[in-house]
Amino acid sequence: MPRRLAILLSGRGSNLEAIARAVGRGEIRDAAIVAVVSDVPSAPGLARARALGLPAFAIDRVQFSTRRAYEGEVLRVLEAARPELLCLAGYMRILSPEFIGRYPGRILNIHPSLLPKHPGLNSQQRALEAGDTVAGCTVHRVEEGVDSGPVLLQRTVAIEPGDNVESLSRRILEEEHRAYPAAIARALEELPAQP
Ligand code: GRF
């Protein structure tokens, strides 16, 4: 039985694609992406998922009056797909404690900074403004609170003189595409397989 992954995203989907390609190359051993869910129907990541032949679900947040109702629909889709691990990949919503409680220790997120430095938005810009000499990315388990939770893996990127937000973000993203598949493989090894 392949290990079952679900991806939640809101935008571009380059991490989704990196994960899918790593699965395809066997770098995440014996795994399958069983659902890609986006809260934004127009997210390019959903189109990428479809192009990769993955099951893609748009669950438009604005069609639901409450977070509870929206998350209920996401949970319904996930319960049918039965993922062992949920991977947030540019998913721009904060999950409720109730949602997180349904997948304890089984939700991962990737963030473009060396957490605990620069949580939240515009991390690359804040690393530059702080005069940091090293930036990078972090894969962590999701707990309540923005970009908190135990770190699984970090990869560093040197900040060069003359770097701007675009150049630094591009190099961090390249490392994200290595870090996320590696962290997923590690997390799956540590998780007992589900029946
Ligand atoms: C990445 O930089 C990730 O770290 C952050 O959102 C961005 C998503 O990019 N959480 P993509 O949609 O995977 O291309």
Side-chain angles (χ1 to χ4, degrees):
M1 274 285 274
R3 311 297 303 268
R4 302 168 72 85
L5 308 174
I7 315 284
L8 271 64
L9 56 77
S10 303
R12 184 174 54 186
S14 71
N15 278 286
L16 155 72
E17 183 151 352
I19 295 164
R21 298 214 181 277
V23 168
R25 289 193 300 265
E27 288 168 18
I28 305 174
R29 246 192 322 138
D30 197 21
I33 298 175
V34 295
V36 178
V37 178
S38 176
D39 60 316
V40 179
S42 61
L46 268 186
R48 281 197 206 222
R50 295 192 187 103
L52 289 161
L54 300 171
F57 301 89
I59 304 176
D60 190 354
R61 172 64 180 92
V62 301
Q63 300 296 325
F64 295 84
S65 53
T66 62
R67 177 166 78 170
R68 192 183 166 83
Y70 160 72
E71 287 190 344
E73 182 61 14
V74 176
L75 285 169
R76 203 183 60 73
V77 166
L78 293 178
E79 272 155 26
R82 293 185 299 107
E84 293 176 60
L85 201 60
L86 265 54
C87 306
L88 310 186
Y91 183 66
M92 299 304 287
R93 301 208 168 265
I94 295 173
L95 296 171
S96 69
E98 294 75 28
F99 187 107
I100 294 169
R102 297 290 283 274
Y103 292 92
R106 293 177 180 267
I107 309 178
L108 308 185
N109 182 44
I110 189 156
H111 184 76
S113 79
L114 297 173
L115 292 173
K117 275 193 146 181
H118 312 308
L121 297 175
N122 306 319
S123 306
Q124 301 94 330
Q125 183 177 340
R126 284 184 289 127
L128 288 168
E129 283 167 3
D132 295 352
T133 53
V134 181
C137 62
T138 302
V139 181
H140 64 96
R141 290 189 201 277
V142 171
E143 292 182 342
E144 290 174 41
V146 175
D147 300 323
S148 65
V151 170
L152 264 171
L153 197 148
Q154 293 187 309
R155 288 183 71 96
T156 58
V157 170
I159 298 183
E160 310 288 353
D163 254 334
N164 55 33
V165 174
E166 287 71 32
S167 63
L168 180 60
S169 300
R170 190 168 55 243
R171 293 208 310 285
I172 292 175
L173 194 64
E174 286 172 12
E175 294 307 320
E176 291 187 38
H177 296 165
R178 298 185 180 104
Y180 218 168
I184 291 168
R186 189 181 294 177
L188 285 175
E189 275 168 25
E190 288 171 8
L191 268 183
Q194 279 187 338

